[in-house]
Amino acid sequence: MRPSDIPIPKSPQNPYPIVTDKYCDIVCGFGRGSSELGIPTANVAIEDLSCDINKLEYGVYFGFAHLSPIKNKKDEIIKRNDGRDVIYNYGNKLNPNNNDLDILPVVLSIGKNPFYGNEFKTVEIHILHRFYSDFYGATIKFNILGYIRPELDYTSVEALINDINIDIEIAKKSLQTPEYSIYKRQLED
Ligand code: ADP
Ligand code: RBF
Ligand code: MG
């Protein structure tokens, strides 16, 4: 275990499970997750989140998520904060035959990413699944079933990536157990 790790309980403990009360919009960030870390994160519009999620302390969490496309929306070009363009396809390339629309395990990062010194809080979800296209503008419903560690600063990008990979292993292991996997049900329509 890492010094900051807290043992993961056998089943979710108060205040978990926490579940979003609706499908939240996926928005763009700086685009660093994929390009600099090789670990893309779907950034959730903070204003779509209820206060029980917004009051959680900064750190790393795990749970499940369910994506839903906005079918009547056409592709659109949106500008990132830094002026670069990004195409929003509203999730219309997601493929049910690739299990993209299943209820999938996730790790979440909530905070200001001290390694990058962000000015504002982000809630970012890395889905433990291989997608063949991005899905900006799609919507996501998710639950949070446990806490892994506080948000940390790092001296190198390699150290940050290494810790995220440990988080992913911890999340996978817990979410596979029956005590956690029953909470997939919370996200069924
Ligand atoms: P941004 O800073 O704009 O969020 P990222 O580099 O973090 O950029 O990439 C995030 C985007 O990558 C998501 O919005 C989603 O469309 C796509 N994506 C592809 N695979 C995944 C995945 N496994 N988990 C989360 N997002 C993914
Ligand atoms: N950023 C940090 O600055 N410190 C962290 O401890 C940290 N932990 C993360 C854990 C996970 C599981 C994920 C997916 C991301 C984490 N990040 C952390 C956020 C990372 O900096 C961010 O996803 C990228 O900057 C892209 O937005
Ligand atoms: Mg992201």
Side-chain angles (χ1 to χ4, degrees), residues 24-31 33 40-46 80 88 113 118 122-126 135-138 140:
C24 307
D25 290 336
I26 294 172
V27 298
C28 61
F30 296 101
T41 57
N43 293 30
V44 179
I46 301 273
R80 294 191 194 266
Y88 274 42
N113 303 351
N118 289 356
T122 57
V123 173
E124 306 178 28
I125 302 179
H126 173 63
F135 42 86
Y136 285 110
I140 189 165

mmCIF file with all atom_site columns, all heavy atoms in Angstrom, residues 24-31 33 40-46 80 88 113 118 122-126 135-138 140:
data_model
loop_
_atom_site.group_PDB
_atom_site.id
_atom_site.type_symbol
_atom_site.label_atom_id
_atom_site.label_alt_id
_atom_site.label_comp_id
_atom_site.label_asym_id
_atom_site.label_entity_id
_atom_site.label_seq_id
_atom_site.pdbx_PDB_ins_code
_atom_site.Cartn_x
_atom_site.Cartn_y
_atom_site.Cartn_z
_atom_site.occupancy
_atom_site.B_iso_or_equiv
_atom_site.pdbx_formal_charge
_atom_site.auth_seq_id
_atom_site.auth_comp_id
_atom_site.auth_asym_id
_atom_site.auth_atom_id
_atom_site.pdbx_PDB_model_num
ATOM 1   N N   . CYS A 1 24  ? -25.536 13.789 -16.622 1.00 0.00 ? 24  CYS A N   1
ATOM 2   C CA  . CYS A 1 24  ? -24.822 15.067 -16.619 1.00 0.00 ? 24  CYS A CA  1
ATOM 3   C C   . CYS A 1 24  ? -24.055 15.236 -17.930 1.00 0.00 ? 24  CYS A C   1
ATOM 4   O O   . CYS A 1 24  ? -23.573 14.255 -18.503 1.00 0.00 ? 24  CYS A O   1
ATOM 5   C CB  . CYS A 1 24  ? -23.802 15.093 -15.477 1.00 0.00 ? 24  CYS A CB  1
ATOM 6   S SG  . CYS A 1 24  ? -24.522 14.693 -13.868 1.00 0.00 ? 24  CYS A SG  1
ATOM 7   N N   . ASP A 1 25  ? -23.883 16.465 -18.375 1.00 0.00 ? 25  ASP A N   1
ATOM 8   C CA  . ASP A 1 25  ? -23.167 16.727 -19.631 1.00 0.00 ? 25  ASP A CA  1
ATOM 9   C C   . ASP A 1 25  ? -21.670 16.479 -19.497 1.00 0.00 ? 25  ASP A C   1
ATOM 10  O O   . ASP A 1 25  ? -21.059 16.847 -18.488 1.00 0.00 ? 25  ASP A O   1
ATOM 11  C CB  . ASP A 1 25  ? -23.369 18.184 -20.059 1.00 0.00 ? 25  ASP A CB  1
ATOM 12  C CG  . ASP A 1 25  ? -24.797 18.454 -20.508 1.00 0.00 ? 25  ASP A CG  1
ATOM 13  O OD1 . ASP A 1 25  ? -25.483 17.490 -20.920 1.00 0.00 ? 25  ASP A OD1 1
ATOM 14  O OD2 . ASP A 1 25  ? -25.227 19.621 -20.440 1.00 0.00 ? 25  ASP A OD2 1
ATOM 15  N N   . ILE A 1 26  ? -21.094 15.880 -20.531 1.00 0.00 ? 26  ILE A N   1
ATOM 16  C CA  . ILE A 1 26  ? -19.633 15.727 -20.619 1.00 0.00 ? 26  ILE A CA  1
ATOM 17  C C   . ILE A 1 26  ? -19.091 16.906 -21.421 1.00 0.00 ? 26  ILE A C   1
ATOM 18  O O   . ILE A 1 26  ? -19.525 17.147 -22.553 1.00 0.00 ? 26  ILE A O   1
ATOM 19  C CB  . ILE A 1 26  ? -19.262 14.387 -21.281 1.00 0.00 ? 26  ILE A CB  1
ATOM 20  C CG1 . ILE A 1 26  ? -19.711 13.241 -20.375 1.00 0.00 ? 26  ILE A CG1 1
ATOM 21  C CG2 . ILE A 1 26  ? -17.753 14.322 -21.569 1.00 0.00 ? 26  ILE A CG2 1
ATOM 22  C CD1 . ILE A 1 26  ? -19.571 11.870 -20.997 1.00 0.00 ? 26  ILE A CD1 1
ATOM 23  N N   . VAL A 1 27  ? -18.172 17.657 -20.805 1.00 0.00 ? 27  VAL A N   1
ATOM 24  C CA  . VAL A 1 27  ? -17.625 18.870 -21.422 1.00 0.00 ? 27  VAL A CA  1
ATOM 25  C C   . VAL A 1 27  ? -16.136 18.673 -21.690 1.00 0.00 ? 27  VAL A C   1
ATOM 26  O O   . VAL A 1 27  ? -15.534 17.686 -21.244 1.00 0.00 ? 27  VAL A O   1
ATOM 27  C CB  . VAL A 1 27  ? -17.863 20.099 -20.512 1.00 0.00 ? 27  VAL A CB  1
ATOM 28  C CG1 . VAL A 1 27  ? -19.352 20.345 -20.328 1.00 0.00 ? 27  VAL A CG1 1
ATOM 29  C CG2 . VAL A 1 27  ? -17.189 19.914 -19.142 1.00 0.00 ? 27  VAL A CG2 1
ATOM 30  N N   . CYS A 1 28  ? -15.518 19.619 -22.405 1.00 0.00 ? 28  CYS A N   1
ATOM 31  C CA  . CYS A 1 28  ? -14.077 19.474 -22.659 1.00 0.00 ? 28  CYS A CA  1
ATOM 32  C C   . CYS A 1 28  ? -13.272 20.223 -21.614 1.00 0.00 ? 28  CYS A C   1
ATOM 33  O O   . CYS A 1 28  ? -13.738 21.191 -21.014 1.00 0.00 ? 28  CYS A O   1
ATOM 34  C CB  . CYS A 1 28  ? -13.720 19.930 -24.062 1.00 0.00 ? 28  CYS A CB  1
ATOM 35  S SG  . CYS A 1 28  ? -14.105 21.652 -24.371 1.00 0.00 ? 28  CYS A SG  1
ATOM 36  N N   . GLY A 1 29  ? -12.064 19.734 -21.369 1.00 0.00 ? 29  GLY A N   1
ATOM 37  C CA  . GLY A 1 29  ? -11.125 20.411 -20.475 1.00 0.00 ? 29  GLY A CA  1
ATOM 38  C C   . GLY A 1 29  ? -9.963  20.927 -21.312 1.00 0.00 ? 29  GLY A C   1
ATOM 39  O O   . GLY A 1 29  ? -10.159 21.468 -22.398 1.00 0.00 ? 29  GLY A O   1
ATOM 40  N N   . PHE A 1 30  ? -8.744  20.692 -20.833 1.00 0.00 ? 30  PHE A N   1
ATOM 41  C CA  . PHE A 1 30  ? -7.559  21.156 -21.564 1.00 0.00 ? 30  PHE A CA  1
ATOM 42  C C   . PHE A 1 30  ? -7.044  20.108 -22.556 1.00 0.00 ? 30  PHE A C   1
ATOM 43  O O   . PHE A 1 30  ? -6.108  20.359 -23.293 1.00 0.00 ? 30  PHE A O   1
ATOM 44  C CB  . PHE A 1 30  ? -6.441  21.523 -20.586 1.00 0.00 ? 30  PHE A CB  1
ATOM 45  C CG  . PHE A 1 30  ? -6.782  22.676 -19.695 1.00 0.00 ? 30  PHE A CG  1
ATOM 46  C CD1 . PHE A 1 30  ? -7.194  22.473 -18.383 1.00 0.00 ? 30  PHE A CD1 1
ATOM 47  C CD2 . PHE A 1 30  ? -6.702  23.985 -20.170 1.00 0.00 ? 30  PHE A CD2 1
ATOM 48  C CE1 . PHE A 1 30  ? -7.518  23.546 -17.558 1.00 0.00 ? 30  PHE A CE1 1
ATOM 49  C CE2 . PHE A 1 30  ? -7.029  25.063 -19.347 1.00 0.00 ? 30  PHE A CE2 1
ATOM 50  C CZ  . PHE A 1 30  ? -7.438  24.839 -18.037 1.00 0.00 ? 30  PHE A CZ  1
ATOM 51  N N   . GLY A 1 31  ? -7.616  18.901 -22.515 1.00 0.00 ? 31  GLY A N   1
ATOM 52  C CA  . GLY A 1 31  ? -7.194  17.853 -23.435 1.00 0.00 ? 31  GLY A CA  1
ATOM 53  C C   . GLY A 1 31  ? -5.902  17.162 -23.031 1.00 0.00 ? 31  GLY A C   1
ATOM 54  O O   . GLY A 1 31  ? -5.294  16.459 -23.832 1.00 0.00 ? 31  GLY A O   1
ATOM 55  N N   . GLY A 1 33  ? -5.464  14.830 -20.561 1.00 0.00 ? 33  GLY A N   1
ATOM 56  C CA  . GLY A 1 33  ? -5.598  13.450 -20.096 1.00 0.00 ? 33  GLY A CA  1
ATOM 57  C C   . GLY A 1 33  ? -5.070  12.471 -21.124 1.00 0.00 ? 33  GLY A C   1
ATOM 58  O O   . GLY A 1 33  ? -4.206  11.639 -20.830 1.00 0.00 ? 33  GLY A O   1
ATOM 59  N N   . PRO A 1 40  ? -7.444  9.245  -20.713 1.00 0.00 ? 40  PRO A N   1
ATOM 60  C CA  . PRO A 1 40  ? -8.489  10.248 -20.942 1.00 0.00 ? 40  PRO A CA  1
ATOM 61  C C   . PRO A 1 40  ? -9.492  10.278 -19.797 1.00 0.00 ? 40  PRO A C   1
ATOM 62  O O   . PRO A 1 40  ? -9.777  9.242  -19.187 1.00 0.00 ? 40  PRO A O   1
ATOM 63  C CB  . PRO A 1 40  ? -9.171  9.774  -22.227 1.00 0.00 ? 40  PRO A CB  1
ATOM 64  C CG  . PRO A 1 40  ? -8.891  8.313  -22.299 1.00 0.00 ? 40  PRO A CG  1
ATOM 65  C CD  . PRO A 1 40  ? -7.558  8.110  -21.634 1.00 0.00 ? 40  PRO A CD  1
ATOM 66  N N   . THR A 1 41  ? -10.025 11.448 -19.501 1.00 0.00 ? 41  THR A N   1
ATOM 67  C CA  . THR A 1 41  ? -11.065 11.579 -18.472 1.00 0.00 ? 41  THR A CA  1
ATOM 68  C C   . THR A 1 41  ? -12.226 12.390 -19.034 1.00 0.00 ? 41  THR A C   1
ATOM 69  O O   . THR A 1 41  ? -12.018 13.465 -19.591 1.00 0.00 ? 41  THR A O   1
ATOM 70  C CB  . THR A 1 41  ? -10.529 12.309 -17.226 1.00 0.00 ? 41  THR A CB  1
ATOM 71  O OG1 . THR A 1 41  ? -10.025 13.595 -17.604 1.00 0.00 ? 41  THR A OG1 1
ATOM 72  C CG2 . THR A 1 41  ? -9.457  11.516 -16.515 1.00 0.00 ? 41  THR A CG2 1
ATOM 73  N N   . ALA A 1 42  ? -13.422 11.871 -18.878 1.00 0.00 ? 42  ALA A N   1
ATOM 74  C CA  . ALA A 1 42  ? -14.621 12.609 -19.264 1.00 0.00 ? 42  ALA A CA  1
ATOM 75  C C   . ALA A 1 42  ? -14.900 13.632 -18.162 1.00 0.00 ? 42  ALA A C   1
ATOM 76  O O   . ALA A 1 42  ? -15.153 13.256 -17.013 1.00 0.00 ? 42  ALA A O   1
ATOM 77  C CB  . ALA A 1 42  ? -15.797 11.653 -19.423 1.00 0.00 ? 42  ALA A CB  1
ATOM 78  N N   . ASN A 1 43  ? -14.792 14.918 -18.504 1.00 0.00 ? 43  ASN A N   1
ATOM 79  C CA  . ASN A 1 43  ? -15.019 15.979 -17.508 1.00 0.00 ? 43  ASN A CA  1
ATOM 80  C C   . ASN A 1 43  ? -16.518 16.267 -17.444 1.00 0.00 ? 43  ASN A C   1
ATOM 81  O O   . ASN A 1 43  ? -17.153 16.459 -18.475 1.00 0.00 ? 43  ASN A O   1
ATOM 82  C CB  . ASN A 1 43  ? -14.264 17.250 -17.915 1.00 0.00 ? 43  ASN A CB  1
ATOM 83  C CG  . ASN A 1 43  ? -12.754 17.078 -17.868 1.00 0.00 ? 43  ASN A CG  1
ATOM 84  O OD1 . ASN A 1 43  ? -12.234 15.980 -18.081 1.00 0.00 ? 43  ASN A OD1 1
ATOM 85  N ND2 . ASN A 1 43  ? -12.053 18.150 -17.603 1.00 0.00 ? 43  ASN A ND2 1
ATOM 86  N N   . VAL A 1 44  ? -17.049 16.288 -16.217 1.00 0.00 ? 44  VAL A N   1
ATOM 87  C CA  . VAL A 1 44  ? -18.488 16.474 -16.032 1.00 0.00 ? 44  VAL A CA  1
ATOM 88  C C   . VAL A 1 44  ? -18.769 17.940 -15.731 1.00 0.00 ? 44  VAL A C   1
ATOM 89  O O   . VAL A 1 44  ? -18.022 18.580 -14.975 1.00 0.00 ? 44  VAL A O   1
ATOM 90  C CB  . VAL A 1 44  ? -18.975 15.591 -14.860 1.00 0.00 ? 44  VAL A CB  1
ATOM 91  C CG1 . VAL A 1 44  ? -20.456 15.779 -14.623 1.00 0.00 ? 44  VAL A CG1 1
ATOM 92  C CG2 . VAL A 1 44  ? -18.668 14.128 -15.140 1.00 0.00 ? 44  VAL A CG2 1
ATOM 93  N N   . ALA A 1 45  ? -19.843 18.488 -16.303 1.00 0.00 ? 45  ALA A N   1
ATOM 94  C CA  . ALA A 1 45  ? -20.251 19.867 -16.009 1.00 0.00 ? 45  ALA A CA  1
ATOM 95  C C   . ALA A 1 45  ? -20.616 19.955 -14.526 1.00 0.00 ? 45  ALA A C   1
ATOM 96  O O   . ALA A 1 45  ? -21.559 19.306 -14.074 1.00 0.00 ? 45  ALA A O   1
ATOM 97  C CB  . ALA A 1 45  ? -21.441 20.256 -16.885 1.00 0.00 ? 45  ALA A CB  1
ATOM 98  N N   . ILE A 1 46  ? -19.834 20.736 -13.763 1.00 0.00 ? 46  ILE A N   1
ATOM 99  C CA  . ILE A 1 46  ? -19.985 20.820 -12.302 1.00 0.00 ? 46  ILE A CA  1
ATOM 100 C C   . ILE A 1 46  ? -21.396 21.256 -11.913 1.00 0.00 ? 46  ILE A C   1
ATOM 101 O O   . ILE A 1 46  ? -21.961 20.799 -10.929 1.00 0.00 ? 46  ILE A O   1
ATOM 102 C CB  . ILE A 1 46  ? -18.980 21.841 -11.715 1.00 0.00 ? 46  ILE A CB  1
ATOM 103 C CG1 . ILE A 1 46  ? -17.553 21.438 -12.043 1.00 0.00 ? 46  ILE A CG1 1
ATOM 104 C CG2 . ILE A 1 46  ? -19.175 22.032 -10.223 1.00 0.00 ? 46  ILE A CG2 1
ATOM 105 C CD1 . ILE A 1 46  ? -16.926 20.496 -11.086 1.00 0.00 ? 46  ILE A CD1 1
ATOM 106 N N   . ARG A 1 80  ? -12.128 25.082 -26.927 1.00 0.00 ? 80  ARG A N   1
ATOM 107 C CA  . ARG A 1 80  ? -11.631 24.861 -25.566 1.00 0.00 ? 80  ARG A CA  1
ATOM 108 C C   . ARG A 1 80  ? -11.261 26.209 -24.961 1.00 0.00 ? 80  ARG A C   1
ATOM 109 O O   . ARG A 1 80  ? -11.105 27.195 -25.691 1.00 0.00 ? 80  ARG A O   1
ATOM 110 C CB  . ARG A 1 80  ? -10.363 23.992 -25.598 1.00 0.00 ? 80  ARG A CB  1
ATOM 111 C CG  . ARG A 1 80  ? -10.575 22.565 -26.067 1.00 0.00 ? 80  ARG A CG  1
ATOM 112 C CD  . ARG A 1 80  ? -9.305  21.774 -25.780 1.00 0.00 ? 80  ARG A CD  1
ATOM 113 N NE  . ARG A 1 80  ? -9.292  20.496 -26.488 1.00 0.00 ? 80  ARG A NE  1
ATOM 114 C CZ  . ARG A 1 80  ? -9.699  19.341 -25.965 1.00 0.00 ? 80  ARG A CZ  1
ATOM 115 N NH1 . ARG A 1 80  ? -10.150 19.302 -24.730 1.00 0.00 ? 80  ARG A NH1 1
ATOM 116 N NH2 . ARG A 1 80  ? -9.634  18.230 -26.668 1.00 0.00 ? 80  ARG A NH2 1
ATOM 117 N N   . TYR A 1 88  ? -17.673 18.115 -30.803 1.00 0.00 ? 88  TYR A N   1
ATOM 118 C CA  . TYR A 1 88  ? -18.660 17.437 -29.955 1.00 0.00 ? 88  TYR A CA  1
ATOM 119 C C   . TYR A 1 88  ? -19.528 16.560 -30.869 1.00 0.00 ? 88  TYR A C   1
ATOM 120 O O   . TYR A 1 88  ? -20.203 17.074 -31.758 1.00 0.00 ? 88  TYR A O   1
ATOM 121 C CB  . TYR A 1 88  ? -19.562 18.463 -29.250 1.00 0.00 ? 88  TYR A CB  1
ATOM 122 C CG  . TYR A 1 88  ? -19.030 19.017 -27.946 1.00 0.00 ? 88  TYR A CG  1
ATOM 123 C CD1 . TYR A 1 88  ? -17.705 19.368 -27.786 1.00 0.00 ? 88  TYR A CD1 1
ATOM 124 C CD2 . TYR A 1 88  ? -19.892 19.203 -26.857 1.00 0.00 ? 88  TYR A CD2 1
ATOM 125 C CE1 . TYR A 1 88  ? -17.236 19.881 -26.581 1.00 0.00 ? 88  TYR A CE1 1
ATOM 126 C CE2 . TYR A 1 88  ? -19.433 19.720 -25.646 1.00 0.00 ? 88  TYR A CE2 1
ATOM 127 C CZ  . TYR A 1 88  ? -18.104 20.063 -25.522 1.00 0.00 ? 88  TYR A CZ  1
ATOM 128 O OH  . TYR A 1 88  ? -17.650 20.582 -24.331 1.00 0.00 ? 88  TYR A OH  1
ATOM 129 N N   . ASN A 1 113 ? -6.252  19.389 -9.564  1.00 0.00 ? 113 ASN A N   1
ATOM 130 C CA  . ASN A 1 113 ? -5.064  18.855 -10.232 1.00 0.00 ? 113 ASN A CA  1
ATOM 131 C C   . ASN A 1 113 ? -3.801  19.663 -9.900  1.00 0.00 ? 113 ASN A C   1
ATOM 132 O O   . ASN A 1 113 ? -3.249  20.347 -10.769 1.00 0.00 ? 113 ASN A O   1
ATOM 133 C CB  . ASN A 1 113 ? -5.267  18.821 -11.760 1.00 0.00 ? 113 ASN A CB  1
ATOM 134 C CG  . ASN A 1 113 ? -6.485  18.010 -12.163 1.00 0.00 ? 113 ASN A CG  1
ATOM 135 O OD1 . ASN A 1 113 ? -7.097  17.335 -11.330 1.00 0.00 ? 113 ASN A OD1 1
ATOM 136 N ND2 . ASN A 1 113 ? -6.845  18.049 -13.414 1.00 0.00 ? 113 ASN A ND2 1
ATOM 137 N N   . ASN A 1 118 ? -4.430  23.809 -11.702 1.00 0.00 ? 118 ASN A N   1
ATOM 138 C CA  . ASN A 1 118 ? -5.690  24.355 -12.242 1.00 0.00 ? 118 ASN A CA  1
ATOM 139 C C   . ASN A 1 118 ? -6.294  25.390 -11.294 1.00 0.00 ? 118 ASN A C   1
ATOM 140 O O   . ASN A 1 118 ? -6.166  25.267 -10.078 1.00 0.00 ? 118 ASN A O   1
ATOM 141 C CB  . ASN A 1 118 ? -6.716  23.228 -12.454 1.00 0.00 ? 118 ASN A CB  1
ATOM 142 C CG  . ASN A 1 118 ? -6.364  22.321 -13.619 1.00 0.00 ? 118 ASN A CG  1
ATOM 143 O OD1 . ASN A 1 118 ? -5.388  22.558 -14.325 1.00 0.00 ? 118 ASN A OD1 1
ATOM 144 N ND2 . ASN A 1 118 ? -7.153  21.292 -13.809 1.00 0.00 ? 118 ASN A ND2 1
ATOM 145 N N   . THR A 1 122 ? -12.318 20.394 -11.029 1.00 0.00 ? 122 THR A N   1
ATOM 146 C CA  . THR A 1 122 ? -12.950 19.565 -12.061 1.00 0.00 ? 122 THR A CA  1
ATOM 147 C C   . THR A 1 122 ? -13.357 18.235 -11.442 1.00 0.00 ? 122 THR A C   1
ATOM 148 O O   . THR A 1 122 ? -12.750 17.772 -10.474 1.00 0.00 ? 122 THR A O   1
ATOM 149 C CB  . THR A 1 122 ? -12.004 19.273 -13.255 1.00 0.00 ? 122 THR A CB  1
ATOM 150 O OG1 . THR A 1 122 ? -10.808 18.648 -12.767 1.00 0.00 ? 122 THR A OG1 1
ATOM 151 C CG2 . THR A 1 122 ? -11.642 20.527 -14.021 1.00 0.00 ? 122 THR A CG2 1
ATOM 152 N N   . VAL A 1 123 ? -14.407 17.650 -12.010 1.00 0.00 ? 123 VAL A N   1
ATOM 153 C CA  . VAL A 1 123 ? -14.803 16.286 -11.681 1.00 0.00 ? 123 VAL A CA  1
ATOM 154 C C   . VAL A 1 123 ? -14.594 15.500 -12.968 1.00 0.00 ? 123 VAL A C   1
ATOM 155 O O   . VAL A 1 123 ? -15.234 15.776 -13.982 1.00 0.00 ? 123 VAL A O   1
ATOM 156 C CB  . VAL A 1 123 ? -16.269 16.226 -11.198 1.00 0.00 ? 123 VAL A CB  1
ATOM 157 C CG1 . VAL A 1 123 ? -16.720 14.787 -11.011 1.00 0.00 ? 123 VAL A CG1 1
ATOM 158 C CG2 . VAL A 1 123 ? -16.418 17.006 -9.888  1.00 0.00 ? 123 VAL A CG2 1
ATOM 159 N N   . GLU A 1 124 ? -13.624 14.563 -12.949 1.00 0.00 ? 124 GLU A N   1
ATOM 160 C CA  . GLU A 1 124 ? -13.210 13.857 -14.160 1.00 0.00 ? 124 GLU A CA  1
ATOM 161 C C   . GLU A 1 124 ? -13.359 12.358 -13.962 1.00 0.00 ? 124 GLU A C   1
ATOM 162 O O   . GLU A 1 124 ? -12.993 11.836 -12.917 1.00 0.00 ? 124 GLU A O   1
ATOM 163 C CB  . GLU A 1 124 ? -11.735 14.139 -14.462 1.00 0.00 ? 124 GLU A CB  1
ATOM 164 C CG  . GLU A 1 124 ? -11.385 15.600 -14.551 1.00 0.00 ? 124 GLU A CG  1
ATOM 165 C CD  . GLU A 1 124 ? -9.893  15.791 -14.814 1.00 0.00 ? 124 GLU A CD  1
ATOM 166 O OE1 . GLU A 1 124 ? -9.262  14.905 -15.425 1.00 0.00 ? 124 GLU A OE1 1
ATOM 167 O OE2 . GLU A 1 124 ? -9.373  16.816 -14.382 1.00 0.00 ? 124 GLU A OE2 1
ATOM 168 N N   . ILE A 1 125 ? -13.863 11.694 -14.992 1.00 0.00 ? 125 ILE A N   1
ATOM 169 C CA  . ILE A 1 125 ? -14.130 10.256 -14.891 1.00 0.00 ? 125 ILE A CA  1
ATOM 170 C C   . ILE A 1 125 ? -13.333 9.500  -15.943 1.00 0.00 ? 125 ILE A C   1
ATOM 171 O O   . ILE A 1 125 ? -13.502 9.730  -17.150 1.00 0.00 ? 125 ILE A O   1
ATOM 172 C CB  . ILE A 1 125 ? -15.642 9.984  -15.094 1.00 0.00 ? 125 ILE A CB  1
ATOM 173 C CG1 . ILE A 1 125 ? -16.449 10.779 -14.044 1.00 0.00 ? 125 ILE A CG1 1
ATOM 174 C CG2 . ILE A 1 125 ? -15.933 8.494  -15.019 1.00 0.00 ? 125 ILE A CG2 1
ATOM 175 C CD1 . ILE A 1 125 ? -17.948 10.604 -14.175 1.00 0.00 ? 125 ILE A CD1 1
ATOM 176 N N   . HIS A 1 126 ? -12.453 8.617  -15.492 1.00 0.00 ? 126 HIS A N   1
ATOM 177 C CA  . HIS A 1 126 ? -11.774 7.719  -16.427 1.00 0.00 ? 126 HIS A CA  1
ATOM 178 C C   . HIS A 1 126 ? -12.533 6.397  -16.415 1.00 0.00 ? 126 HIS A C   1
ATOM 179 O O   . HIS A 1 126 ? -12.623 5.729  -15.379 1.00 0.00 ? 126 HIS A O   1
ATOM 180 C CB  . HIS A 1 126 ? -10.315 7.512  -16.035 1.00 0.00 ? 126 HIS A CB  1
ATOM 181 C CG  . HIS A 1 126 ? -9.631  6.475  -16.880 1.00 0.00 ? 126 HIS A CG  1
ATOM 182 N ND1 . HIS A 1 126 ? -9.451  6.623  -18.248 1.00 0.00 ? 126 HIS A ND1 1
ATOM 183 C CD2 . HIS A 1 126 ? -9.142  5.249  -16.574 1.00 0.00 ? 126 HIS A CD2 1
ATOM 184 C CE1 . HIS A 1 126 ? -8.865  5.539  -18.730 1.00 0.00 ? 126 HIS A CE1 1
ATOM 185 N NE2 . HIS A 1 126 ? -8.669  4.692  -17.736 1.00 0.00 ? 126 HIS A NE2 1
ATOM 186 N N   . PHE A 1 135 ? -16.453 11.028 -27.099 1.00 0.00 ? 135 PHE A N   1
ATOM 187 C CA  . PHE A 1 135 ? -17.903 11.199 -26.929 1.00 0.00 ? 135 PHE A CA  1
ATOM 188 C C   . PHE A 1 135 ? -18.211 12.508 -26.192 1.00 0.00 ? 135 PHE A C   1
ATOM 189 O O   . PHE A 1 135 ? -19.049 12.550 -25.293 1.00 0.00 ? 135 PHE A O   1
ATOM 190 C CB  . PHE A 1 135 ? -18.517 9.971  -26.219 1.00 0.00 ? 135 PHE A CB  1
ATOM 191 C CG  . PHE A 1 135 ? -17.696 9.433  -25.069 1.00 0.00 ? 135 PHE A CG  1
ATOM 192 C CD1 . PHE A 1 135 ? -17.840 9.964  -23.791 1.00 0.00 ? 135 PHE A CD1 1
ATOM 193 C CD2 . PHE A 1 135 ? -16.762 8.422  -25.272 1.00 0.00 ? 135 PHE A CD2 1
ATOM 194 C CE1 . PHE A 1 135 ? -17.072 9.487  -22.735 1.00 0.00 ? 135 PHE A CE1 1
ATOM 195 C CE2 . PHE A 1 135 ? -15.984 7.940  -24.211 1.00 0.00 ? 135 PHE A CE2 1
ATOM 196 C CZ  . PHE A 1 135 ? -16.140 8.469  -22.940 1.00 0.00 ? 135 PHE A CZ  1
ATOM 197 N N   . TYR A 1 136 ? -17.518 13.574 -26.617 1.00 0.00 ? 136 TYR A N   1
ATOM 198 C CA  . TYR A 1 136 ? -17.812 14.906 -26.058 1.00 0.00 ? 136 TYR A CA  1
ATOM 199 C C   . TYR A 1 136 ? -19.275 15.261 -26.312 1.00 0.00 ? 136 TYR A C   1
ATOM 200 O O   . TYR A 1 136 ? -19.800 15.021 -27.400 1.00 0.00 ? 136 TYR A O   1
ATOM 201 C CB  . TYR A 1 136 ? -16.931 15.973 -26.716 1.00 0.00 ? 136 TYR A CB  1
ATOM 202 C CG  . TYR A 1 136 ? -15.503 15.958 -26.247 1.00 0.00 ? 136 TYR A CG  1
ATOM 203 C CD1 . TYR A 1 136 ? -14.481 15.542 -27.098 1.00 0.00 ? 136 TYR A CD1 1
ATOM 204 C CD2 . TYR A 1 136 ? -15.169 16.372 -24.963 1.00 0.00 ? 136 TYR A CD2 1
ATOM 205 C CE1 . TYR A 1 136 ? -13.151 15.543 -26.681 1.00 0.00 ? 136 TYR A CE1 1
ATOM 206 C CE2 . TYR A 1 136 ? -13.848 16.374 -24.533 1.00 0.00 ? 136 TYR A CE2 1
ATOM 207 C CZ  . TYR A 1 136 ? -12.852 15.953 -25.393 1.00 0.00 ? 136 TYR A CZ  1
ATOM 208 O OH  . TYR A 1 136 ? -11.548 15.964 -24.972 1.00 0.00 ? 136 TYR A OH  1
ATOM 209 N N   . GLY A 1 137 ? -19.927 15.810 -25.299 1.00 0.00 ? 137 GLY A N   1
ATOM 210 C CA  . GLY A 1 137 ? -21.321 16.228 -25.432 1.00 0.00 ? 137 GLY A CA  1
ATOM 211 C C   . GLY A 1 137 ? -22.323 15.141 -25.080 1.00 0.00 ? 137 GLY A C   1
ATOM 212 O O   . GLY A 1 137 ? -23.517 15.411 -24.975 1.00 0.00 ? 137 GLY A O   1
ATOM 213 N N   . ALA A 1 138 ? -21.842 13.885 -24.922 1.00 0.00 ? 138 ALA A N   1
ATOM 214 C CA  . ALA A 1 138 ? -22.734 12.823 -24.439 1.00 0.00 ? 138 ALA A CA  1
ATOM 215 C C   . ALA A 1 138 ? -23.086 13.118 -22.982 1.00 0.00 ? 138 ALA A C   1
ATOM 216 O O   . ALA A 1 138 ? -22.542 14.048 -22.376 1.00 0.00 ? 138 ALA A O   1
ATOM 217 C CB  . ALA A 1 138 ? -22.034 11.464 -24.553 1.00 0.00 ? 138 ALA A CB  1
ATOM 218 N N   . ILE A 1 140 ? -23.735 11.465 -18.919 1.00 0.00 ? 140 ILE A N   1
ATOM 219 C CA  . ILE A 1 140 ? -23.242 10.378 -18.068 1.00 0.00 ? 140 ILE A CA  1
ATOM 220 C C   . ILE A 1 140 ? -23.947 10.420 -16.712 1.00 0.00 ? 140 ILE A C   1
ATOM 221 O O   . ILE A 1 140 ? -24.122 11.487 -16.120 1.00 0.00 ? 140 ILE A O   1
ATOM 222 C CB  . ILE A 1 140 ? -21.700 10.471 -17.915 1.00 0.00 ? 140 ILE A CB  1
ATOM 223 C CG1 . ILE A 1 140 ? -21.125 9.239  -17.221 1.00 0.00 ? 140 ILE A CG1 1
ATOM 224 C CG2 . ILE A 1 140 ? -21.271 11.758 -17.199 1.00 0.00 ? 140 ILE A CG2 1
ATOM 225 C CD1 . ILE A 1 140 ? -19.605 9.104  -17.374 1.00 0.00 ? 140 ILE A CD1 1
#
